[in-house]
């Protein structure tokens, strides 16, 4: 009996030791992920020359950089999780380009996420002022390969907009 109990205690000690090691590893990985996220957010917030926006498959803004705040006149707290990407695009342009947008969305959904689509847009600032932009759009990888309803990529999109208003005015 004593031998059986000794074997059980030894096995339990090994099990508890393994759990402690796994717990420390999980904590270290979580800390590393938090640090990587913080560094990425710092980099994105420092990029004030371009508007960077994350958008879920439904079009809701999920990330709004400092550059987007400067270009469009909204704070991130007014936009993230609240506004749609279409709130920043000239409505006439959306209607005019609906088929082009649908074709671009289908094309982006079908190809490698590394593919970039670049399109000119007229962005609308909070004060109503319009700005000409060149927007580069990429699909975001989905978590676990999941797709959203309607077959759109589960990760959504990221758009990087560069204001070309002054450049176009100088060229005219």
């Amino acid at each position: 009996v004593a031998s059986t109990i000794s074997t059980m205690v030894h096995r339990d000690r090994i099990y508890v030791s393994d759990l402690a090691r796994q717990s420390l590893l999980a904590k270290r990985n979580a800390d590393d992920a938090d640090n990587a996220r913080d560094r990425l957010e710092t980099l994105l917030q420092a990029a004030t020359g371009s508007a960077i926006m994350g958008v879920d498959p439904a079009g809701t803004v999920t990330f709004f950089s400092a550059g987007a705040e400067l270009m469009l006149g909204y704070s991130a707290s007014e936009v993230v999780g609240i506004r749609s990407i279409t709130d920043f695009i000239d409505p006439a342009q959306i209607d005019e380009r609906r088929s082009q947008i649908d074709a671009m969305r289908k094309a982006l959904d079908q190809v490698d996420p590394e593919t970039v689509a670049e399109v000119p847009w007229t962005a609308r600032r909070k004060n109503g002022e319009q700005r000409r932009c060149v927007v580069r759009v990429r699909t975001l990888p989905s978590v676990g390969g999941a797709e959203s309803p309607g077959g759109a990529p589960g990760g959504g999109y990221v758009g990087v907009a560069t204001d070309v208003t002054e450049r176009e005015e100088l060229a005219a």
Side-chain angles (χ1 to χ4, degrees):
V1 173
S3 159
T4 303
I5 290 174
S6 174
T7 301
M8 290 173 59
V9 167
H10 179 69
R11 189 176 40 202
D12 287 350
R13 283 183 181 155
I14 292 171
Y15 177 74
V16 168
S17 174
D18 191 42
L19 280 176
R21 224 180 354 258
Q22 289 177 12
S23 177
L24 286 172
L25 182 61
K27 169 96 171 83
R28 192 171 329 145
N29 288 341
D31 288 345
D32 288 348
D34 286 343
N35 289 336
R37 185 197 64 238
D38 291 345
R39 283 191 307 269
L40 177 61
E41 181 141 343
T42 299
L43 279 168
L44 291 173
Q45 292 300 348
T48 57
S50 296
I52 303 170
M53 288 186 267
V55 182
D56 70 14
T60 303
V61 177
T62 58
F63 178 81
F64 201 72
S65 73
E69 290 179 334
L70 290 171
M71 184 182 295
L72 298 171
Y74 291 88
S75 69
S77 63
E78 293 176 285
V79 175
V80 174
I82 300 168
R83 293 193 171 270
S84 168
I85 190 69
T86 58
D87 293 340
F88 308 108
I89 301 170
D90 179 18
Q93 206 170 36
I94 292 174
D95 292 339
E96 173 187 311
R97 295 191 183 175
R98 187 161 309 279
S99 62
Q100 180 184 359
I101 294 167
D102 290 341
M104 185 178 79
R105 182 179 295 144
K106 286 179 186 168
L108 284 172
D109 291 349
Q110 304 293 323
V111 298
D112 180 352
E114 295 300 310
T115 301
V116 176
E118 189 172 290
V119 291
W121 285 104
T122 302
R124 230 185 24 239
R125 290 180 44 82
K126 185 177 183 178
N127 65 6
E129 178 186 0
Q130 294 189 343
R131 308 295 296 175
R132 292 289 299 150
C133 301
V134 172
V135 182
R136 296 174 59 89
V137 181
R138 282 186 119 146
T139 58
L140 290 171
S142 59
V143 178
E147 286 193 354
S148 66
Y157 305 92
V158 64
V160 179
T162 304
D163 189 332
V164 295
T165 306
E166 282 83 15
R167 183 172 57 188
E168 287 183 358
E169 288 172 355
L170 287 173

